[in-house]
Amino acid sequence: MAPISCRELSTRLSSLPRGVATTAHARLSFRRTPGPFRQLTPANSDGLLWRLPSAATRDDAVASLVGHLEHDAARRGHDAAAKDDEDEEEYEDEDDVSPGRRHGARRHHHHQDELAARWRDIHGRDDWAGLLDPMDPLLRSELIRYGEFAQACYDAFDYDLASRYCGSCKYPRRAFFDRLGMPAAARGYAVSRFLYATSNFRFPNFFSQSRAGAKIWSQRANWIGYVAVSTDEESARLGRRDIAIAWRGTVTRLEWVSDLMDFLRPVADEGIPCPDPEVKVESGFVDLYTDKDPTCRFCKYSAREQVLVEVRRLVAHYTALGEDVSITVTGHSLGSALAMISAYDIAESGANLSNDKRAAVCVYSFAGPRVGNARFKERFEAELGVKALRVVNVHDGVARIPGILLNEGAPAMVRRVAEGLLRVPWCYAHVGVELALDHKRSPFLKDTLDPGCFHNLEAHLHLLDGYHGRGERFVLASGRDPALVNKACDFLKDHHCVPPCWRQDENKGMVRAPDGRWVQPDRHGWHLDDDHDQHHGEAAPADGAHRHIRLVRRRS
């Protein structure tokens, strides 16, 4: 190779894949040792220090380095596509962070410091104008944070049909985020209430029922989400007291869509105090939100009553202290539909109003279906001022239903005739602002026809982390681990060596008892410790207290 000057170095290096030129962190060491000019050789096993023969001039050294990098580039990539994948899929050891990455970390910290001043914009005051393209880094981090709150509903739910606690939460409320391995959330939020639901519909893919018969924790209830409130320290960082509501959805199976799709029903018929009978929502969604069973300890009150009571209590408490309060509702899939309905209900019923202060209500929705008609959209957005940002994968079919034919994209005249004159009960409209992502932009994800992968929440959070705007390269902004994508699906490319559906409890939750037998640990005390009835002003049943005492004695 002919020698080149240092001035030509940038031109030559620019033709190499960025990962090859930067990840090695090569340093040139000029040493006066005898011997003719030779190809550069690494001085240590990591290849981080390159030694040059003494006869090499500075330009020779540069030429040798470029030659080595070109050779290394050819060796690492089988073709141009593979090189592009490697370019994006960079990992660095925490002890060997480049100055650029340190600068990015400082910039990320700087954005977090801005949150207290910008939280109203991030919460949708101006409908996220100018924040989505290009993607605002602070908004991206907040979307991922609330998306992880929704993901926590999946990770904490007991799906095991062999468990007598199937359909419940695996972790106690007071240690919820700690047990999930979410230290930032554990420091920043305290779960104030678990939410339960029952329904007259039969949803085998949503309402999990144990096969343990009479021994199960509840015959009718399923754990469906939680309410959490920010701590004092977190509230100072956020710039307000935040009430977060997370609703559980579905993981992979999508049959619930056809199970729930029925027809539009006026919300006033379900007890929501709406003055306009033309405001309608999907009947299956609102039934799940309002159904209750007076004979069930956990579903004596509907999910609607549970969340409204808790929100009113928290808003009244913190507004009385003179604090700014926000209500942020999040959910994925079916949980997104419940998030939209509950946010609307909170604003419609005035649960966000106390002490002459109104808490801002916002929804961060992930892969959600349409919920109501065009009049619901108008009431939601323009009249009540509820904000909603919908994160969707353009290849996910759930975001296009119900209302495949008659929706917000149809001509206004067609919608007016269909809904007004013909009274067609299938005219739907999405609410809020859409952030459309494309999983084919990510070099980490493989080409598959599995709709469950397109719909997966962890995949949406991965796409958010790499999204910088329409037409921009996919580059992970926070370094969020791509392995999380395969937590409950098979979406990562095989060369990452991440097994599909890898997340599971150790020994499937079984523990060894003092007598050496393997048993399921008792969880009834956790539910009874939730003060579920006290939030409605009732005392807990006496038999519950005695049962808890017996459990404590068995563990001692």
Side-chain angles (χ1 to χ4, degrees):
M1 176 184 293
I4 62 173
S5 65
C6 290
R7 294 180 180 179
E8 299 174 23
L9 176 61
S10 60
T11 304
R12 297 296 299 272
L13 290 180
S14 63
S15 64
L16 296 173
R18 179 172 56 85
V20 175
T22 59
T23 57
H25 302 296
R27 299 191 300 271
L28 299 180
S29 174
F30 298 90
R31 301 195 175 195
R32 291 192 174 276
T33 56
F37 170 74
R38 298 187 304 274
Q39 181 73 21
L40 278 169
T41 56
N44 56 19
S45 58
D46 296 329
L48 300 181
L49 181 62
W50 300 94
R51 291 180 179 172
L52 300 179
S54 61
T57 65
R58 192 175 296 268
D59 288 344
D60 291 336
V62 171
S64 182
L65 174 60
V66 172
H68 178 85
L69 292 176
E70 289 177 338
H71 173 74
D72 190 53
R75 179 178 55 83
R76 292 189 184 187
H78 296 290
D79 51 39
K83 292 177 184 178
D84 289 340
D85 288 347
E86 291 179 2
D87 181 27
E88 297 298 341
E89 299 165 6
E90 300 289 343
Y91 296 92
E92 291 189 61
D93 189 275
E94 293 180 357
D95 297 330
D96 187 27
V97 181
S98 68
R101 180 62 62 85
R102 293 194 196 98
H103 175 71
R106 289 195 299 269
R107 184 173 56 187
H108 177 74
H109 180 71
H110 174 67
H111 287 313
Q112 291 298 317
D113 292 341
E114 294 179 358
L115 185 54
R118 296 183 54 206
W119 76 266
R120 294 186 186 277
D121 294 330
I122 301 301
H123 219 243
R125 175 172 57 184
D126 298 321
D127 293 321
W128 298 279
L131 301 181
L132 301 178
D133 190 20
M135 188 69 187
D136 183 85
L138 185 55
L139 176 59
R140 180 197 295 110
S141 65
E142 286 297 278
L143 283 172
I144 293 175
R145 186 168 69 88
Y146 285 105
E148 289 175 342
F149 282 176
Q151 179 65 41
C153 293
Y154 293 134
D155 296 343
F157 187 70
D158 191 340
Y159 296 92
D160 187 1
L161 298 179
S163 169
R164 62 182 181 274
Y165 305 113
C166 180
S168 70
C169 180
K170 293 186 289 188
Y171 309 118
R173 173 174 62 84
R174 290 176 175 82
F176 182 75
F177 291 121
D178 279 323
R179 295 291 296 273
L180 282 168
M182 301 172 65
R187 291 190 301 268
Y189 284 78
V191 177
S192 64
R193 180 170 191 137
F194 278 166
L195 302 174
Y196 297 88
T198 188
S199 179
N200 295 322
F201 282 84
R202 302 287 23 159
F203 307 138
N205 297 305
F206 184 75
F207 274 85
S208 298
Q209 288 289 338
S210 173
R211 298 194 295 258
K215 296 180 180 180
I216 65 176
W217 69 285
S218 174
Q219 295 286 346
R220 294 276 296 172
N222 255 215
W223 181 73
I224 199 173
Y226 61 92
V227 181
V229 61
S230 58
T231 62
D232 292 343
E233 181 181 359
E234 183 73 356
S235 297
R237 187 185 74 86
L238 298 175
R240 85 279 188 189
R241 184 73 62 170
D242 185 45
I243 301 170
I245 305 170
W247 294 95
R248 180 175 65 84
T250 52
V251 184
T252 55
R253 294 184 177 272
L254 310 181
E255 289 87 347
W256 63 269
V257 178
S258 58
D259 291 341
L260 281 174
M261 280 170 47
D262 190 5
F263 55 86
L264 290 162
R265 181 184 301 172
V267 296
D269 292 353
E270 301 299 324
I272 299 176
C274 178
D276 187 352
E278 294 303 314
V279 176
K280 301 177 181 179
V281 295
E282 170 56 49
S283 59
F285 298 156
V286 74
D287 279 342
L288 182 60
Y289 181 62
T290 57
D291 276 355
K292 58 184 176 181
D293 183 356
T295 66
C296 176
R297 157 121 161 74
F298 299 98
C299 293
K300 182 186 298 184
Y301 303 97
S302 66
R304 174 179 185 261
E305 293 169 325
Q306 295 169 44
V307 73
L308 289 182
V309 165
E310 186 65 7
V311 167
R312 285 194 178 101
R313 182 182 74 85
L314 294 173
V315 170
H317 175 74
Y318 290 110
T319 54
L321 298 177
E323 298 185 27
D324 290 331
V325 179
S326 67
I327 301 171
T328 311
V329 195
T330 186
H332 168 257
S333 190
L334 176 56
S336 168
L338 295 173
M340 292 292 187
I341 293 176
S342 62
Y344 161 78
D345 189 17
I346 288 169
E348 187 73 88
S349 61
N352 62 326
L353 179 63
S354 182
N355 300 306
D356 296 325
K357 287 190 174 183
R358 186 180 300 273
V361 183
C362 170
V363 179
Y364 291 135
S365 158
F366 299 87
R370 295 185 180 93
V371 174
N373 62 355
R375 186 67 188 99
F376 173 77
K377 173 183 174 67
E378 294 173 2
R379 183 72 176 166
F380 186 101
E381 298 174 354
E383 299 176 19
L384 296 177
V386 181
K387 304 299 180 180
L389 180 57
R390 297 181 295 103
V391 180
V392 301
N393 180 356
V394 295
H395 302 283
D396 181 20
V398 174
R400 297 192 290 271
I401 54 176
I404 296 178
L405 298 178
L406 295 174
N407 54 55
E408 68 282 353
M413 180 61 69
V414 174
R415 285 189 281 113
R416 281 196 295 268
V417 171
E419 191 170 5
L421 297 179
L422 302 180
R423 312 297 293 179
V424 175
W426 308 292
C427 300
Y428 292 84
H430 267 309
V431 301
V433 178
E434 180 177 279
L435 174 58
L437 308 175
D438 185 352
H439 72 258
K440 293 186 178 180
R441 301 280 298 175
S442 171
F444 294 86
L445 305 181
K446 62 186 177 183
D447 190 12
T448 178
L449 299 178
D450 185 357
C453 292
F454 306 162
H455 190 61
N456 182 268
L457 176 54
E458 284 288 2
H460 280 70
L461 301 184
H462 168 74
L463 296 178
L464 266 176
D465 196 23
Y467 177 78
H468 295 267
R470 285 178 294 182
E472 297 292 330
R473 290 181 60 198
F474 186 97
V475 179
L476 296 180
S478 69
R480 195 170 190 274
D481 191 354
L484 294 171
V485 172
N486 268 18
K487 184 187 291 185
C489 69
D490 185 10
F491 208 1
L492 282 178
K493 290 181 177 178
D494 294 338
H495 70 260
H496 289 290
C497 300
V498 178
C501 305
W502 55 261
R503 190 184 191 279
Q504 59 182 345
D505 294 332
E506 183 179 4
N507 298 319
K508 292 193 173 181
M510 299 289 284
V511 298
R512 190 182 291 275
D515 61 0
R517 297 171 58 245
W518 287 90
V519 298
Q520 292 179 350
D522 216 326
R523 289 189 214 147
H524 273 290
W526 298 355
H527 297 289
L528 297 174
D529 190 38
D530 192 41
D531 304 327
H532 194 70
D533 290 322
Q534 282 84 336
H535 290 179
H536 285 274
E538 300 183 9
D543 62 331
H546 295 312
R547 188 185 309 166
H548 184 59
I549 292 174
R550 288 200 301 270
L551 289 173
V552 171
R553 287 176 179 171
R554 280 168 54 186
R555 291 175 180 173
S556 61

